[in-house]
Amino acid sequence: MWVTPAFADAVQLSNAGEADFITALFTYTPLHLAWLAREAVIVFFVLSGFVLARPFLSRGRSYGAYYPQRVIRLAVPAWAALAVAALIAVMLYPTTGTPHSELLASQVAPHVEWGDFAGAWLIGGAPQVLLPLWSLKWEIAFSLLLPLYVLIARWAVGVWKGGAVAVVCLGLSAAGTYFSVDELAYLPTFMLGCLVASNQQAITRRIRDSRATWLGVGSLIALAAGWYPRGVSDSTMLTGAGQVLSIVGAAGVVIAALTWRGFAHALSGSRAMLWLGDRSFSLYLVHFPVIMVAAFLTLGENLAITLGIGLPVSLLVAEVFFRTVEKPSTDLARMVKRRLASKSSAAEAEAPAAQRQS
């Protein structure tokens, strides 16, 4: 959608009143769920907080093997995808002509800021040729800060403590969004996932059946709430309030996946969804350059051609990338983790023996 001028213009507040009916319908209503970007990333951040914190909430886990494994798991595929995206930018993107979409125009070789490749270490930023990496740097920052998140999550068990921490996180995210401080806007969202993990039993006990269904439906609607005010107003306060509601929706979506059986089945009850889940990281890394190449065929003027070519090719490339890069890097990360864990266990076993001898 972002490569199509009509939709790309509709996301700008100054153009809200100029959007045609179909564009406005898919931009400023819950139908925006069909092409969420930032909001989908927030769901991933909350989910990541839940998944990473959960094993460490019970005491006795060591972070010694976790850090190398996590860095390998994230960095190796990202570097490989960055190399592919850079090669595509040099060899395939045109050096003349003006695509009608600003996003496409930013990919044209003379406009690519090669200095952005300092972001290849994934902390400094995302190179222009692989923009989705903007979110991976926050994932890595959270991964490095995980012990602090786990410490807070262990304390914030129960309605009052957990609720208080959740409110603080939403307040920080609201302030970060309003003042354009990305650290405040994004890092607290991981804490929401950690809170879900530390309070999972209480949550699943309280939210069941019809409550879970209403929670899931309401959360999905709330997820796109940051876009609803833009169709009628350019108020920064209204948009900011909508974005905070979107973060609440992201947390609600994760909770709904734990409590709403129909939603959980829809997410994991078929081979296609399981396949998509396994390849989601690869798809995240490779879809952008594939879609860009497809869009360049029409300079962003034909969404049907862009999606008709870009989506199936993205899935195919993701499968190849998964088999050749992601899976081997995951296997390497697990091997490193096992070896470090075994060395740590051996050292712990030797310590009492050494004490007895002394």
Side-chain angles (χ1 to χ4, degrees), residues 145-165:
L145 294 171
L146 181 61
L148 176 60
Y149 282 80
V150 170
L151 185 65
I152 296 173
R154 283 176 178 166
W155 175 83
V157 175
V159 175
W160 294 109
K161 290 182 180 179
V165 173

Side-chain angles (χ1 to χ4, degrees), residues 59-70:
R59 300 185 183 277
R61 293 271 185 169
S62 172
Y63 290 99
Y66 156 78
Y67 278 113
Q69 177 264 342
R70 189 63 179 163

Side-chain angles (χ1 to χ4, degrees), residues 12-337:
Q12 305 297 326
L13 293 181
S14 58
N15 295 308
E18 303 173 9
D20 60 71
F21 175 75
I22 296 298
T23 302
L25 190 65
F26 276 88
T27 304
Y28 309 119
T29 75
L31 291 179
H32 195 105
L33 287 168
W35 61 296
L36 291 178
R38 176 184 180 273
E39 296 81 6
V41 171
I42 296 301
V43 173
F44 174 79
F45 286 171
V46 176
L47 181 60
S48 182
F50 173 81
V51 172
L52 263 67
R54 195 177 177 189
F56 291 96
L57 289 173
S58 58
R59 300 185 183 277
R61 293 271 185 169
S62 172
Y63 290 99
Y66 156 78
Y67 278 113
Q69 177 264 342
R70 189 63 179 163
V71 171
I72 294 172
R73 174 72 179 88
L74 295 177
V76 173
W79 289 334
L82 183 59
V84 172
L87 186 63
I88 290 175
V90 172
M91 297 182 63
L92 298 183
Y93 293 162
T95 57
T96 59
T98 305
H100 295 116
S101 163
E102 291 185 11
L103 180 58
L104 288 180
S106 71
Q107 301 299 305
V108 175
H111 300 153
V112 172
E113 298 179 7
W114 299 105
D116 284 347
F117 278 89
W121 292 102
L122 309 181
I123 294 296
Q128 192 72 27
V129 294
L130 197 57
L131 289 179
L133 286 186
W134 75 266
S135 60
L136 193 60
K137 73 174 183 178
W138 300 117
E139 176 68 22
I140 289 185
F142 161 66
S143 297
L144 296 176
L145 294 171
L146 181 61
L148 176 60
Y149 282 80
V150 170
L151 185 65
I152 296 173
R154 283 176 178 166
W155 175 83
V157 175
V159 175
W160 294 109
K161 290 182 180 179
V165 173
V167 169
V168 170
C169 289
L170 291 173
L172 291 174
S173 291
T177 301
Y178 185 82
F179 293 107
S180 298
V181 180
D182 288 345
E183 289 81 1
L184 286 180
Y186 296 117
L187 288 177
T189 60
F190 292 96
M191 190 69 238
L192 296 177
C194 297
L195 292 176
V196 174
S198 62
N199 292 276
Q200 183 178 356
Q201 290 185 349
I203 289 172
T204 54
R205 187 171 59 250
R206 290 171 179 267
I207 302 176
R208 296 179 180 177
D209 305 323
S210 61
R211 287 185 180 180
T213 302
W214 284 111
L215 172 68
V217 173
S219 296
L220 288 172
I221 294 174
L223 195 56
W227 293 99
Y228 304 154
R230 301 189 185 200
V232 294
S233 171
D234 59 356
S235 169
T236 304
M237 291 296 294
L238 281 177
T239 302
Q243 290 174 340
V244 171
L245 186 58
S246 175
I247 296 173
V248 174
V253 167
V254 174
I255 294 174
L258 295 172
T259 57
W260 181 11
R261 285 178 293 180
F263 190 37
H265 180 74
L267 293 174
S268 60
S270 67
R271 290 185 178 181
M273 292 302 294
L274 291 174
W275 178 90
L276 193 60
D278 286 340
R279 274 70 175 171
S280 59
F281 186 45
S282 290
L283 185 60
Y284 156 81
L285 289 173
V286 304
H287 79 279
F288 183 79
V290 173
I291 295 293
M292 289 298 101
V293 171
F296 268 118
L297 294 176
T298 62
L299 295 182
E301 291 185 298
N302 193 313
L303 180 62
I305 291 179
T306 299
L307 296 181
I309 295 175
L311 290 181
V313 174
S314 292
L315 295 174
L316 177 61
V317 173
E319 175 66 19
V320 174
F321 190 87
F322 175 80
R323 295 190 180 193
T324 59
V325 178
E326 184 185 354
K327 190 175 185 305
S329 65
T330 301
D331 293 340
L332 174 62
R334 287 173 177 168
M335 181 188 70
V336 170
K337 182 179 180 180

